[in-house]
Amino acid sequence: MTRSVTYAQFVAKTTDDRYIAALTSFLCQAADDELVMGHRESEWLGMAPEIEEDVAFGSISQDEVGHAVYYYNLVSGLTGEPVELLAYERPHDVRRNAVLVERGNGDWAYTVVRHFFYDEFDHLRLTALTHSSYEPLRQGAAKMLREEYYHRLHAQTWFTRLAQAGGEAKERIERAIATQWPDLPELFMFGEAEQDLLANGIISLSGREVREAWFENVSRVMRGAGLIVPPAPWLGEQNGGSEARAVHTDALKELLGTLSEVYDLDKTAVW
Amino acid sequence: MMKRVQEEALAPEVERALYDVFDPEIPALSIMDLGMVRSVTSADGHALVQLMPTFMGCPALSIIRRNVIDRVLAVEGVTSADVEFVYDEPWTTERMTETAKVRLREFGIAPPACGLLQMNSLTAECPYCRSSHTRLDSLFGPTACRSVFYCEDCHQPFEAMKPV
């Protein structure tokens, strides 16, 4: 027999408003990251340099959007807002995805580098949720990690292959790394709710701990691929906790416009 | 008394009916063979089927939900039916039955060689000639759960279910 706690029961059990606020804030970050990343990946359909990559990004995008739906469902259970509203109607300035994932796809090297950087981060974030005090998050993370195994394998394979190929491929990879490096610190910022997230056992690692582990893993792969690892991008930086993930670019505005184009035609349509 | 006996027999009856509900993406497999069914309960003619999604973003989930409800409502004694997707334990390819593996192979898809956590490298046995002399062509395939391989012996490309 299974034991499952419905969100309503969970909310009833959890009277602490701060817990709910921290949880909701974190869930929105994860949901927005996955939705925006998944949308960017879907933009390679019909455009990728090889048919296998069309297929790969088709699957990866589907997985990421599926994860976003899972997170939005949890938010919906906590706040009562419909999932469609959370995904399609929230304006760009209240979104909480990192700027890194909203940037345009650029060239293939930019996409491969971002896919690698983001998936290594997502793997660590999910791992830090596998003992979460919030049961649906713990369960979802266990499932997502199994799917993400293939995303990481795909990203690491391409990243290493292009870097080791030398010539233009390596140059483009190096350029993409340099371009994305300043965008990285924000990825690891959980915002003002971080202390509550840790104190309540919602997540088991701080943003700082996640980024240290990330840097170690990424550096190892980069060195193995014959790349020079620049100094960590957050060295000498102030920790902008409250501003984290709150400022966006026009790229996100445009992306959300495209994403909700069909939805906006008829918001009450049933599919 | 009679009514109570019928009520107790309802859940197993519903479970049997679920062998008729097939995966829309792999029509050779029932959701029972796939190991997607977590539990079946019934009370007062209402049947509740808990399903474990194979992949979180699987577009077939809403179709499966509808097909389960339609099939369960056709079971005598069932007056209402519902489907709930649960994650209390992740679905893995190890939940697939031996029947599922045989049917997959007959369908032209190699079953997973082992579980994800036991996997050293992604390998698959050719579903046509059973050769192990195969190579991975594409990690991703026509659906999220499949990869594409090539058989070096019978020179056939084939799909394999990813260990998850």
Side-chain angles (χ1 to χ4, degrees), chain A:
Chain A
M1 218 28 225
T2 61
R3 194 181 64 84
S4 69
V5 178
T6 67
Y7 311 134
Q9 285 169 327
F10 181 82
V11 174
K13 246 181 15 189
T14 312
T15 49
D16 188 349
D17 287 349
R18 277 183 66 172
Y19 184 103
I20 301 286
L23 182 57
T24 308
S25 142
F26 175 77
L27 288 169
C28 282
Q29 290 183 11
D32 291 345
D33 272 350
E34 293 285 281
L35 181 68
V36 172
M37 193 73 243
H39 182 85
R40 283 291 179 225
E41 285 157 347
S42 78
E43 290 179 335
W44 279 109
L45 268 78
M47 312 285 284
E50 294 178 359
I51 190 158
E52 286 81 0
E53 293 315 305
D54 256 48
V55 171
F57 274 113
S59 280
I60 293 169
S61 167
Q62 182 182 302
D63 287 343
E64 303 294 35
V65 173
H67 301 169
V69 171
Y70 186 81
Y71 289 127
Y72 284 131
N73 267 315
L74 298 183
V75 175
S76 177
L78 293 166
T79 66
E81 295 160 288
V83 176
E84 288 77 11
L85 184 141
L86 292 166
Y88 293 120
E89 294 196 44
R90 284 158 59 236
H92 77 281
D93 53 353
V94 303
R95 301 274 170 164
R96 291 295 172 261
N97 61 277
V99 164
L100 178 71
V101 297
E102 75 195 40
R103 302 254 190 228
N105 278 334
D107 61 4
W108 184 245
Y110 186 93
T111 291
V112 166
V113 169
R114 175 167 60 183
H115 179 31
F116 170 56
F117 282 175
Y118 177 75
D119 280 348
E120 289 300 313
F121 159 71
D122 195 34
H123 171 76
L124 291 165
R125 177 169 60 185
L126 289 170
T127 306
L129 294 172
T130 49
H131 298 288
S132 178
S133 60
Y134 184 50
E135 197 176 13
L137 203 42
R138 189 167 73 229
Q139 294 175 355
K143 182 70 186 153
M144 287 182 219
L145 275 170
R146 286 175 174 265
E147 299 181 5
E148 292 291 341
Y149 172 87
Y150 293 97
H151 300 190
R152 284 177 76 212
L153 186 57
H154 178 256
Q156 285 188 16
T157 303
W158 266 103
F159 182 83
T160 306
R161 197 174 288 170
L162 289 180
Q164 287 179 341
E168 189 185 351
K170 188 180 182 183
E171 278 169 32
R172 284 183 184 239
I173 286 286
E174 286 170 334
R175 206 178 309 147
I177 292 170
T179 311
Q180 287 172 42
W181 215 245
D183 279 343
L184 290 169
E186 187 196 35
L187 200 54
F188 306 94
M189 290 178 185
F190 296 144
E192 282 175 325
E194 182 170 41
Q195 279 316 309
D196 286 342
L197 291 171
L198 290 166
N200 289 296
I202 293 169
I203 191 163
S204 60
L205 294 175
S206 68
R208 190 176 289 265
E209 287 166 321
V210 171
R211 80 184 187 190
E212 294 309 323
W214 181 92
F215 194 67
E216 201 182 309
N217 293 351
V218 165
S219 298
R220 191 172 50 244
V221 176
M222 283 176 75
R223 279 194 295 269
L227 293 162
I228 293 162
V229 183
W234 40 81
L235 289 179
E237 246 193 42
Q238 299 296 319
N239 197 342
S242 59
E243 281 295 298
R245 295 167 164 268
V247 180
H248 295 288
T249 66
D250 285 346
L252 181 64
K253 233 189 277 185
E254 198 187 324
L255 181 150
L256 293 174
T258 308
L259 179 80
S260 51
E261 210 172 350
V262 175
Y263 171 80
D264 286 341
L265 288 175
D266 181 0
K267 291 183 183 180
T268 57
V270 177
W271 298 90

